[in-house]
mmCIF file of all heavy atoms in Angstrom:
data_model
loop_
_atom_site.group_PDB
_atom_site.id
_atom_site.type_symbol
_atom_site.label_atom_id
_atom_site.label_comp_id
_atom_site.label_asym_id
_atom_site.label_seq_id
_atom_site.Cartn_x
_atom_site.Cartn_y
_atom_site.Cartn_z
ATOM 1 N N PRO A 330 86.239 -16.386 19.345
ATOM 2 C CA PRO A 330 86.668 -16.868 20.668
ATOM 3 C C PRO A 330 86.831 -15.766 21.715
ATOM 4 O O PRO A 330 86.708 -16.021 22.906
ATOM 5 C CB PRO A 330 88.014 -17.537 20.383
ATOM 6 C CG PRO A 330 88.063 -17.763 18.916
ATOM 7 C CD PRO A 330 87.174 -16.762 18.279
ATOM 8 N N GLU A 331 87.100 -14.546 21.273
ATOM 9 C CA GLU A 331 87.383 -13.493 22.254
ATOM 10 C C GLU A 331 86.132 -12.729 22.693
ATOM 11 O O GLU A 331 86.222 -11.811 23.515
ATOM 12 C CB GLU A 331 88.414 -12.518 21.675
ATOM 13 C CG GLU A 331 89.777 -13.175 21.543
ATOM 14 C CD GLU A 331 90.757 -12.328 20.779
ATOM 15 O OE1 GLU A 331 90.424 -11.176 20.456
ATOM 16 O OE2 GLU A 331 91.842 -12.842 20.495
ATOM 17 N N VAL A 332 84.994 -13.099 22.151
ATOM 18 C CA VAL A 332 83.770 -12.344 22.466
ATOM 19 C C VAL A 332 82.821 -13.197 23.299
ATOM 20 O O VAL A 332 82.488 -14.312 22.899
ATOM 21 C CB VAL A 332 83.056 -11.888 21.168
ATOM 22 C CG1 VAL A 332 81.801 -11.110 21.509
ATOM 23 C CG2 VAL A 332 83.992 -11.061 20.308
ATOM 24 N N ASP A 333 82.381 -12.665 24.425
ATOM 25 C CA ASP A 333 81.343 -13.324 25.227
ATOM 26 C C ASP A 333 79.988 -12.796 24.742
ATOM 27 O O ASP A 333 79.621 -11.658 25.036
ATOM 28 C CB ASP A 333 81.540 -12.994 26.707
ATOM 29 C CG ASP A 333 80.415 -13.564 27.570
ATOM 30 O OD1 ASP A 333 79.516 -14.230 27.019
ATOM 31 O OD2 ASP A 333 80.440 -13.337 28.796
ATOM 32 N N PRO A 334 79.227 -13.608 24.009
ATOM 33 C CA PRO A 334 77.995 -13.090 23.389
ATOM 34 C C PRO A 334 76.857 -12.886 24.371
ATOM 35 O O PRO A 334 75.826 -12.330 23.996
ATOM 36 C CB PRO A 334 77.644 -14.192 22.375
ATOM 37 C CG PRO A 334 78.200 -15.442 22.959
ATOM 38 C CD PRO A 334 79.453 -15.041 23.698
ATOM 39 N N GLU A 335 77.048 -13.324 25.616
ATOM 40 C CA GLU A 335 75.947 -13.216 26.573
ATOM 41 C C GLU A 335 76.011 -11.943 27.427
ATOM 42 O O GLU A 335 75.158 -11.736 28.292
ATOM 43 C CB GLU A 335 75.897 -14.467 27.443
ATOM 44 C CG GLU A 335 75.488 -15.687 26.613
ATOM 45 C CD GLU A 335 75.456 -16.979 27.408
ATOM 46 O OE1 GLU A 335 74.641 -17.072 28.326
ATOM 47 O OE2 GLU A 335 76.263 -17.871 27.106
ATOM 48 N N VAL A 336 76.999 -11.089 27.156
ATOM 49 C CA VAL A 336 77.057 -9.803 27.863
ATOM 50 C C VAL A 336 75.755 -9.033 27.634
ATOM 51 O O VAL A 336 75.157 -8.474 28.562
ATOM 52 C CB VAL A 336 78.267 -8.967 27.381
ATOM 53 C CG1 VAL A 336 78.188 -7.539 27.902
ATOM 54 C CG2 VAL A 336 79.571 -9.626 27.799
ATOM 55 N N GLN A 337 75.291 -9.025 26.400
ATOM 56 C CA GLN A 337 74.065 -8.288 26.059
ATOM 57 C C GLN A 337 72.858 -8.826 26.828
ATOM 58 O O GLN A 337 71.975 -8.069 27.227
ATOM 59 C CB GLN A 337 73.814 -8.348 24.553
ATOM 60 C CG GLN A 337 73.733 -9.735 24.000
ATOM 61 C CD GLN A 337 73.744 -9.774 22.471
ATOM 62 O OE1 GLN A 337 72.782 -9.400 21.822
ATOM 63 N NE2 GLN A 337 74.842 -10.239 21.893
ATOM 64 N N LEU A 338 72.837 -10.158 27.036
ATOM 65 C CA LEU A 338 71.692 -10.758 27.741
ATOM 66 C C LEU A 338 71.719 -10.397 29.223
ATOM 67 O O LEU A 338 70.680 -10.062 29.812
ATOM 68 C CB LEU A 338 71.700 -12.270 27.570
ATOM 69 C CG LEU A 338 71.723 -12.798 26.135
ATOM 70 C CD1 LEU A 338 71.559 -14.303 26.107
ATOM 71 C CD2 LEU A 338 70.611 -12.156 25.322
ATOM 72 N N ARG A 339 72.898 -10.469 29.816
ATOM 73 C CA ARG A 339 72.998 -10.131 31.249
ATOM 74 C C ARG A 339 72.638 -8.664 31.479
ATOM 75 O O ARG A 339 71.923 -8.320 32.421
ATOM 76 C CB ARG A 339 74.410 -10.431 31.764
ATOM 77 C CG ARG A 339 74.723 -11.926 31.824
ATOM 78 C CD ARG A 339 75.995 -12.193 32.609
ATOM 79 N NE ARG A 339 77.203 -11.767 31.915
ATOM 80 C CZ ARG A 339 77.884 -12.522 31.052
ATOM 81 N NH1 ARG A 339 77.475 -13.750 30.776
ATOM 82 N NH2 ARG A 339 78.970 -12.072 30.474
ATOM 83 N N HIS A 340 73.132 -7.795 30.601
ATOM 84 C CA HIS A 340 72.844 -6.364 30.767
ATOM 85 C C HIS A 340 71.356 -6.088 30.547
ATOM 86 O O HIS A 340 70.742 -5.309 31.289
ATOM 87 C CB HIS A 340 73.695 -5.553 29.797
ATOM 88 C CG HIS A 340 73.780 -4.097 30.138
ATOM 89 N ND1 HIS A 340 74.339 -3.637 31.310
ATOM 90 C CD2 HIS A 340 73.351 -2.991 29.480
ATOM 91 C CE1 HIS A 340 74.259 -2.307 31.348
ATOM 92 N NE2 HIS A 340 73.663 -1.888 30.250
ATOM 93 N N ALA A 341 70.786 -6.741 29.553
ATOM 94 C CA ALA A 341 69.355 -6.549 29.269
ATOM 95 C C ALA A 341 68.506 -7.029 30.447
ATOM 96 O O ALA A 341 67.512 -6.383 30.807
ATOM 97 C CB ALA A 341 68.975 -7.300 27.997
ATOM 98 N N GLU A 342 68.892 -8.133 31.024
ATOM 99 C CA GLU A 342 68.150 -8.637 32.183
ATOM 100 C C GLU A 342 68.243 -7.641 33.335
ATOM 101 O O GLU A 342 67.259 -7.362 34.025
ATOM 102 C CB GLU A 342 68.692 -10.001 32.607
ATOM 103 C CG GLU A 342 67.858 -10.669 33.688
ATOM 104 C CD GLU A 342 68.300 -12.106 33.938
ATOM 105 O OE1 GLU A 342 69.513 -12.344 34.037
ATOM 106 O OE2 GLU A 342 67.419 -12.981 34.035
ATOM 107 N N GLY A 343 69.427 -7.089 33.540
ATOM 108 C CA GLY A 343 69.615 -6.092 34.599
ATOM 109 C C GLY A 343 68.767 -4.853 34.376
ATOM 110 O O GLY A 343 68.347 -4.190 35.334
ATOM 111 N N LEU A 344 68.508 -4.533 33.121
ATOM 112 C CA LEU A 344 67.679 -3.356 32.796
ATOM 113 C C LEU A 344 66.186 -3.655 32.902
ATOM 114 O O LEU A 344 65.358 -2.757 32.738
ATOM 115 C CB LEU A 344 67.982 -2.893 31.363
ATOM 116 C CG LEU A 344 69.366 -2.301 31.100
ATOM 117 C CD1 LEU A 344 69.628 -2.219 29.595
ATOM 118 C CD2 LEU A 344 69.482 -0.920 31.728
ATOM 119 N N GLY A 345 65.841 -4.918 33.094
ATOM 120 C CA GLY A 345 64.430 -5.278 33.186
ATOM 121 C C GLY A 345 63.772 -5.542 31.850
ATOM 122 O O GLY A 345 62.541 -5.593 31.748
ATOM 123 N N LEU A 346 64.591 -5.722 30.800
ATOM 124 C CA LEU A 346 64.018 -5.969 29.480
ATOM 125 C C LEU A 346 63.390 -7.357 29.392
ATOM 126 O O LEU A 346 62.470 -7.584 28.597
ATOM 127 C CB LEU A 346 65.118 -5.818 28.405
ATOM 128 C CG LEU A 346 64.721 -6.057 26.958
ATOM 129 C CD1 LEU A 346 63.600 -5.112 26.525
ATOM 130 C CD2 LEU A 346 65.925 -5.881 26.031
ATOM 131 N N GLY A 347 63.870 -8.284 30.183
ATOM 132 C CA GLY A 347 63.344 -9.648 30.189
ATOM 133 C C GLY A 347 64.171 -10.491 31.138
ATOM 134 O O GLY A 347 64.989 -9.957 31.905
ATOM 135 N N VAL A 348 63.959 -11.790 31.068
ATOM 136 C CA VAL A 348 64.722 -12.695 31.939
ATOM 137 C C VAL A 348 65.381 -13.768 31.084
ATOM 138 O O VAL A 348 64.896 -14.115 30.009
ATOM 139 C CB VAL A 348 63.816 -13.357 33.005
ATOM 140 C CG1 VAL A 348 63.271 -12.312 33.970
ATOM 141 C CG2 VAL A 348 62.680 -14.138 32.363
ATOM 142 N N ARG A 349 66.504 -14.285 31.608
ATOM 143 C CA ARG A 349 67.227 -15.309 30.845
ATOM 144 C C ARG A 349 66.663 -16.707 31.086
ATOM 145 O O ARG A 349 66.946 -17.613 30.317
ATOM 146 C CB ARG A 349 68.710 -15.262 31.221
ATOM 147 C CG ARG A 349 69.348 -13.931 30.849
ATOM 148 C CD ARG A 349 70.749 -13.838 31.409
ATOM 149 N NE ARG A 349 71.649 -14.710 30.693
ATOM 150 C CZ ARG A 349 72.804 -15.127 31.165
ATOM 151 N NH1 ARG A 349 73.198 -14.753 32.370
ATOM 152 N NH2 ARG A 349 73.580 -15.916 30.458
ATOM 153 N N ALA A 350 65.916 -16.876 32.154
ATOM 154 C CA ALA A 350 65.319 -18.188 32.424
ATOM 155 C C ALA A 350 64.075 -18.351 31.551
ATOM 156 O O ALA A 350 63.286 -17.418 31.399
ATOM 157 C CB ALA A 350 64.940 -18.287 33.893
ATOM 158 N N TYR A 351 63.927 -19.533 30.998
ATOM 159 C CA TYR A 351 62.783 -19.736 30.095
ATOM 160 C C TYR A 351 62.312 -21.177 30.148
ATOM 161 O O TYR A 351 63.018 -22.086 30.591
ATOM 162 C CB TYR A 351 63.184 -19.374 28.657
ATOM 163 C CG TYR A 351 64.293 -20.227 28.109
ATOM 164 C CD1 TYR A 351 64.031 -21.426 27.443
ATOM 165 C CD2 TYR A 351 65.621 -19.850 28.269
ATOM 166 C CE1 TYR A 351 65.050 -22.216 26.959
ATOM 167 C CE2 TYR A 351 66.650 -20.631 27.801
ATOM 168 C CZ TYR A 351 66.367 -21.819 27.137
ATOM 169 O OH TYR A 351 67.387 -22.611 26.680
ATOM 170 N N ARG A 352 61.077 -21.350 29.696
ATOM 171 C CA ARG A 352 60.511 -22.677 29.497
ATOM 172 C C ARG A 352 60.258 -22.835 28.009
ATOM 173 O O ARG A 352 59.610 -21.963 27.402
ATOM 174 C CB ARG A 352 59.189 -22.799 30.265
ATOM 175 C CG ARG A 352 59.161 -24.009 31.163
ATOM 176 C CD ARG A 352 58.016 -24.020 32.168
ATOM 177 N NE ARG A 352 57.271 -22.795 32.309
ATOM 178 C CZ ARG A 352 55.944 -22.729 32.235
ATOM 179 N NH1 ARG A 352 55.237 -23.804 31.980
ATOM 180 N NH2 ARG A 352 55.320 -21.577 32.414
ATOM 181 N N LEU A 353 60.784 -23.886 27.434
ATOM 182 C CA LEU A 353 60.655 -24.085 25.986
ATOM 183 C C LEU A 353 59.477 -25.005 25.681
ATOM 184 O O LEU A 353 59.358 -26.080 26.267
ATOM 185 C CB LEU A 353 61.944 -24.710 25.444
ATOM 186 C CG LEU A 353 62.056 -24.786 23.922
ATOM 187 C CD1 LEU A 353 62.205 -23.389 23.323
ATOM 188 C CD2 LEU A 353 63.245 -25.663 23.528
ATOM 189 N N ARG A 354 58.613 -24.529 24.773
ATOM 190 C CA ARG A 354 57.528 -25.408 24.315
ATOM 191 C C ARG A 354 57.685 -25.614 22.828
ATOM 192 O O ARG A 354 57.631 -24.661 22.044
ATOM 193 C CB ARG A 354 56.166 -24.766 24.612
ATOM 194 C CG ARG A 354 55.050 -25.798 24.551
ATOM 195 C CD ARG A 354 53.699 -25.157 24.615
ATOM 196 N NE ARG A 354 53.134 -25.048 23.273
ATOM 197 C CZ ARG A 354 51.986 -24.453 22.990
ATOM 198 N NH1 ARG A 354 51.299 -23.874 23.933
ATOM 199 N NH2 ARG A 354 51.528 -24.403 21.766
ATOM 200 N N GLU A 355 57.924 -26.884 22.470
ATOM 201 C CA GLU A 355 58.172 -27.183 21.073
ATOM 202 C C GLU A 355 56.906 -27.658 20.388
ATOM 203 O O GLU A 355 56.207 -28.545 20.890
ATOM 204 C CB GLU A 355 59.281 -28.257 20.959
ATOM 205 C CG GLU A 355 59.708 -28.506 19.529
ATOM 206 C CD GLU A 355 60.979 -29.319 19.421
ATOM 207 O OE1 GLU A 355 61.753 -29.365 20.411
ATOM 208 O OE2 GLU A 355 61.218 -29.916 18.364
#
Side-chain angles (χ1 to χ4, degrees):
E331 291 171 7
V332 180
D333 175 2
E335 292 178 64
V336 169
Q337 56 191 288
L338 305 187
R339 291 192 289 272
H340 197 62
E342 187 171 45
L344 292 166
L346 179 58
V348 295
R349 297 172 72 200
Y351 62 89
R352 233 167 349 129
L353 189 69
R354 197 189 99 184
E355 187 168 339

